[in-house]
Amino acid sequence: ARYAPYWNATVLTAGGMAHDFGTNKSAPEAEFPYLTRVGPTFDLLSKSIYSMIRYYHWNTVKVVYNTEGLDEVVVRFCFLAMSALVRHFRDKGQEFHLYLFHEQENDEFQKVLKEEVNTKYSSE
């Protein structure tokens, strides 16, 4: 996609789910002006999650994700998804807190779910 402008070739992809691939194509500094995404994106996922948060009137959000989650599908899948979500939350002024965990830290993860998410982020 980065070489497409030099080759004067359009790139269509069902991939390219990361936020960076969806930036303004007409801006002079656009990194991927010839790239068109035709599939679902992390930006759409972020907008959907944000809409649900607003619908249920949730005020604070704890974003919990595995840094290596779904690497078998796409390398850094969870990082890319959470990166788009965090960017969307910041743009909208949504309060959130991050918790990154690794598979080998299962005990710590269970503790955070029980002692923090359960008490600080749950509602009636």
Side-chain angles (χ1 to χ4, degrees):
R2 283 192 176 100
Y3 291 115
Y6 301 104
W7 298 331
N8 197 27
T10 301
V11 177
L12 297 175
T13 181
M17 295 166 42
H19 173 77
D20 294 340
F21 295 120
T23 57
N24 184 354
K25 307 293 184 197
S26 60
E29 68 278 359
E31 189 173 3
F32 305 103
Y34 286 64
L35 177 68
T36 299
R37 301 181 299 176
V38 295
T41 67
F42 290 132
D43 289 334
L44 291 174
L45 175 65
S46 298
K47 289 176 183 177
S48 297
I49 291 171
Y50 180 74
S51 294
M52 182 174 54
I53 289 167
R54 297 283 35 111
Y55 179 82
Y56 287 106
H57 306 288
W58 295 333
N59 297 316
T60 58
V61 177
K62 182 78 166 187
V63 178
V64 179
Y65 77 98
N66 181 343
T67 55
E68 291 110 26
L70 297 174
D71 276 357
E72 67 278 3
V73 176
V74 174
V75 176
R76 301 183 67 196
F77 182 93
C78 282
F79 170 79
L80 294 170
M82 290 305 105
S83 161
L85 184 62
V86 164
R87 178 172 289 168
H88 194 77
F89 281 178
R90 286 184 177 146
D91 288 348
K92 297 294 187 180
Q94 173 65 50
E95 182 181 344
F96 68 95
H97 302 95
L98 288 174
Y99 176 70
L100 291 63
F101 73 94
H102 302 276
E103 292 290 332
Q104 58 272 23
E105 298 172 353
N106 193 41
D107 290 340
E108 177 67 23
F109 173 63
Q110 295 293 326
K111 181 180 176 185
V112 167
L113 286 179
K114 289 177 185 173
E115 296 176 9
E116 189 173 325
V117 174
N118 186 39
T119 57
K120 292 181 185 174
Y121 295 90
S122 62
S123 65
E124 297 175 31

